Amino acid sequence: MIVGEQKPFEEIWEMIKGFRKVLVFGCNTCVAICHAGGGKEAEILASLIRMKAVQEGIGMEVKHAAIERHCEPEFFDPMMEDVKTNDVVLSTACGVGVNFLAERIGDIPVFPGINTQFFGAVPKAGIFVELCAGCGDCILHLTGGICPVARCAKSLMNGPCGGTNKGKCEISRDVDCAWYLIVERMKKLGTIEKLYEIQPLRNWSTATYGGPRRVILEHIKDIEEQL
Amino acid sequence: MYAAKRVTYAKKLLSTVGIDPARLEMYNLSAAMGPKWAEICTGFTEKIRKLGPSPIWLAVCRQSGMKRSELK
């Protein structure tokens, strides 16, 4: 899932203080799981904005709403007329949702209420860890299911580097050395010899270095157009 | 103790918008601790009196041009 963190309130206030009708718009998928931008968090943020506005003597109408996803139009299209009645939308969806809504809402500004962080998992409640970098050329079958792109601080393809220390990365004792994990895992799987195979040069154009990416499924796209 | 952590978090939220976090407290009590409950309520009421009206309340009075005694 996509992990995010709410922006500092002061930063949010600076964005919206000049507007009179504010909608705090939450997304009930990934960012709700990480307690950053779901319906509940949107409601709390709206309350905080109201409290701040009253104390600042600003007559601000602050509403809150949430939908299941901000990354597909069918989820927010039914709400669009209501959304457009506001002067500004403070979206607590991930950056994808902010972009997507901004493209469709016309002249109304859409501001981000959270900082979108990474693709992650939830090993324990309240803890979120990055496990995938979305590089577009997955090599997890070669690395024991542990991603060196996301989990090695240098994204090395031929680790571990000299900074590995008793299974930890030199950047922090709290960070596991991804290549230590890979080697140990592949030993367990009995596939350690695969690491000795020479791999072709990696094509990084599938990552963001190749510009904005898109996936088009012709068979699905055609069906959608016919509907 | 999720509730205690959440109260701590709520206190932080309140302080970001200029509300004294001391206005929110959590106490652990059983249903059999009536006298202690009364004592806490009395003490907390006294504490809030000392802190004075909430800034929200004062702002509402200021904006409505009314005296506090006139507002319900």
Side-chain angles (χ1 to χ4, degrees):
Chain A
M1 66 179 209
I2 294 175
V3 178
E5 258 188 326
Q6 194 177 301
K7 281 182 171 289
F9 184 80
E10 296 73 22
E11 188 181 343
I12 290 173
W13 179 249
E14 285 303 312
M15 289 181 211
I16 61 161
K17 65 182 182 184
F19 297 89
R20 291 297 167 264
K21 290 184 78 175
V22 179
L23 174 66
V24 185
F25 201 12
C27 179
N28 280 329
T29 311
C30 310
V31 291
I33 304 300
C34 60
H35 307 274
K40 196 190 294 179
E41 290 75 31
E43 187 173 358
I44 293 169
L45 184 53
S47 293
L48 292 173
I49 294 168
R50 278 186 216 107
M51 285 193 256
K52 179 72 172 175
V54 166
Q55 291 179 82
E56 296 290 325
I58 297 171
M60 191 183 269
E61 185 189 328
V62 187
K63 292 189 285 188
H64 63 87
I67 53 171
E68 291 313 298
R69 286 188 211 170
H70 279 239
C71 49
E72 291 185 67
E74 51 265 48
F75 287 93
F76 63 71
D77 277 351
M79 279 198 68
M80 217 45 173
E81 287 310 308
D82 283 346
V83 170
K84 285 180 178 176
T85 62
N86 296 282
D87 296 335
V88 65
V89 176
L90 179 66
S91 170
T92 58
C94 68
V96 175
V98 175
N99 275 265
F100 207 53
L101 182 58
E103 282 179 359
R104 286 159 177 77
I105 201 172
D107 297 336
I108 301 163
V110 183
F111 295 151
I114 72 170
N115 290 320
T116 306
Q117 308 276 11
F118 52 79
F119 303 151
V122 195
K124 284 173 73 177
I127 297 175
F128 306 91
V129 291
E130 183 172 19
L131 297 181
C132 171
C135 69
D137 187 12
C138 193
I139 55 160
L140 287 168
H141 58 299
L142 302 174
T143 58
I146 295 159
C147 179
V149 181
R151 299 173 69 178
C152 169
K154 296 174 181 170
S155 295
L156 284 181
M157 292 294 108
N158 56 344
C161 71
T164 188
N165 185 8
K166 294 176 185 163
K168 298 294 176 184
C169 175
E170 63 185 338
I171 65 163
S172 167
R173 286 180 186 171
D174 296 330
V175 177
D176 290 327
C177 168
W179 275 102
Y180 175 84
L181 295 177
I182 289 168
V183 169
E184 292 302 309
R185 173 82 177 144
M186 292 185 76
K187 274 185 198 168
K188 261 191 196 169
L189 293 173
T191 55
I192 191 75
E193 75 283 353
K194 275 186 177 283
L195 287 180
Y196 292 97
E197 292 173 10
I198 304 297
Q199 298 298 329
L201 282 176
R202 190 177 161 80
N203 175 12
W204 285 103
S205 71
T206 57
T208 53
Y209 312 108
R213 297 167 287 180
R214 64 167 55 194
V215 173
I216 298 173
L217 301 178
E218 291 296 341
H219 58 298
I220 302 290
K221 191 187 83 173
D222 291 345
I223 292 167
E224 287 276 302
E225 282 173 358
Q226 286 164 18
L227 291 175
Chain B
M1 288 297 289
Y2 286 127
K5 285 185 176 178
R6 286 170 188 178
V7 169
T8 304
Y9 177 64
K11 279 171 166 274
K12 269 189 208 166
L13 292 179
L14 288 173
S15 65
T16 61
V17 290
I19 309 290
D20 189 338
R23 291 178 180 276
L24 174 67
E25 290 299 347
M26 174 179 159
Y27 300 93
N28 293 307
L29 289 166
S30 84
M33 296 167 76
K36 182 69 178 168
W37 168 242
E39 186 187 314
I40 286 170
C41 289
T42 307
F44 192 71
T45 304
E46 190 52 37
K47 178 180 165 186
I48 294 295
R49 281 214 178 96
K50 280 185 185 158
L51 288 171
S54 94
I56 304 282
W57 180 248
L58 289 173
V60 170
C61 290
R62 208 167 41 242
Q63 282 160 36
S64 63
M66 294 173 81
K67 291 177 185 169
R68 271 189 272 153
S69 57
E70 293 171 330
L71 280 171
K72 286 183 182 173

